[in-house]
Amino acid sequence: MRKSLLTVAGLVALSMTGGASAQTRRAPAPDVHSLDQAYAIVDFQTALSGREIAQALQRHIANANVTVTARNQTVAAIPRAPGRFTLIDPAAPGGFGLEGPASRAPAGWLRPVRAAVCDGASWRADVAPRRPGRVEQRYTLCLFPYRDGRRQGHQLDIYAVTLLHGDPGAVAPRASGETPAAFMRGAVRAVERLTRVQGVWVENRLANADRPFTRDDDAWAAQTN
């Protein structure tokens, strides 16, 4: 009888421990908001390969303060017109909750965090701070090849998002490091030095925490529907 009671007690303790572990795994992550966004689309007419351009970009963006996750992607057929990345809300049903209403907080205009999708790109890189803080800057770069007769090249799409972790009611400090505008200019210059051609800025929306990122600023988002 004593042995049976000990066995039951052991099973109960084990189940409580397992339950606690499961609750720990399921604990919700701290609230994260999109504080500000920016993007640039820059065209380079060049016969250089996407791999050469990607290598130049990776050398440029790699430093001790960031982590870079880069990968080459297979393009079945080079299109006549370059693609462009789209934005989705991963938390929305189906992932297509593109633009909910913005809420005003002392830190700026807050929105759900969206992710960039680079369908049709030959290369993609995600850049994040090595030491995340309450406010942090993240970037996604996508390289889209195109060829239309003698006209060929690549378009570089850069999406920048400023993330706010935690209570949006408190005034957040500025993100450390270079600004999105400076990051974009630096990436474009790295490609210009390699290709020896000047990039053409097709679209450019600078970060501005004093106003929300509206559909007018985010014209390509509708392509996800």
Side-chain angles (χ1 to χ4, degrees):
M1 180 70 177
R2 180 179 175 80
K3 185 176 180 180
S4 299
L5 289 174
L6 289 173
T7 301
V8 171
L11 291 173
V12 170
L14 182 62
S15 65
M16 291 177 65
T17 302
S21 299
Q23 289 178 359
T24 300
R25 289 193 300 269
R26 295 170 187 163
D31 289 337
V32 183
H33 304 273
S34 169
L35 179 60
D36 197 15
Q37 302 171 88
Y39 74 89
I41 300 175
V42 186
D43 182 80
F44 301 93
Q45 290 198 21
T46 174
L48 290 179
S49 69
R51 188 174 297 274
E52 292 173 287
I53 296 175
Q55 289 173 347
L57 284 167
Q58 286 178 226
R59 287 193 299 269
H60 170 75
I61 61 181
N63 62 67
N65 298 320
V66 300
T67 60
V68 180
T69 303
R71 60 181 179 274
N72 294 309
Q73 303 180 157
T74 302
V75 179
I78 304 299
R80 297 181 63 181
R84 55 169 53 189
F85 65 87
T86 55
L87 297 175
I88 65 169
D89 178 0
F96 296 119
L98 297 173
E99 279 294 338
S103 59
R104 194 71 167 102
W109 291 95
L110 303 179
R111 289 190 182 277
V113 177
R114 299 188 296 171
V117 178
C118 298
D119 291 340
S122 62
W123 174 81
R124 173 195 175 111
D126 293 284
V127 183
R130 192 173 296 277
R131 295 180 180 178
R134 183 159 185 260
V135 178
E136 63 185 60
Q137 195 69 51
R138 292 177 177 262
Y139 300 95
T140 298
L141 300 86
C142 309
L143 195 62
F144 292 92
Y146 66 89
R147 182 183 296 118
D148 185 8
R150 298 182 62 182
R151 179 177 174 269
Q152 61 179 321
H154 305 265
Q155 278 195 4
L156 174 63
D157 295 11
I158 307 175
Y159 172 63
V161 60
T162 306
L163 299 182
L164 171 64
H165 298 261
D167 181 13
V171 177
R174 291 184 177 273
S176 59
E178 61 186 341
T179 65
F183 179 93
M184 293 174 182
R185 287 196 303 269
V188 170
R189 287 169 183 163
V191 180
E192 289 176 337
R193 286 193 296 269
L194 174 71
T195 61
R196 299 184 179 181
V197 298
Q198 186 172 358
V200 177
W201 292 71
V202 179
E203 295 181 38
N204 187 21
R205 194 281 195 187
L206 297 177
N208 186 348
D210 292 331
R211 65 183 177 88
F213 197 74
T214 64
R215 283 187 182 276
D216 292 337
D217 297 315
D218 186 16
W220 73 88
Q223 296 180 10
T224 57
N225 287 335

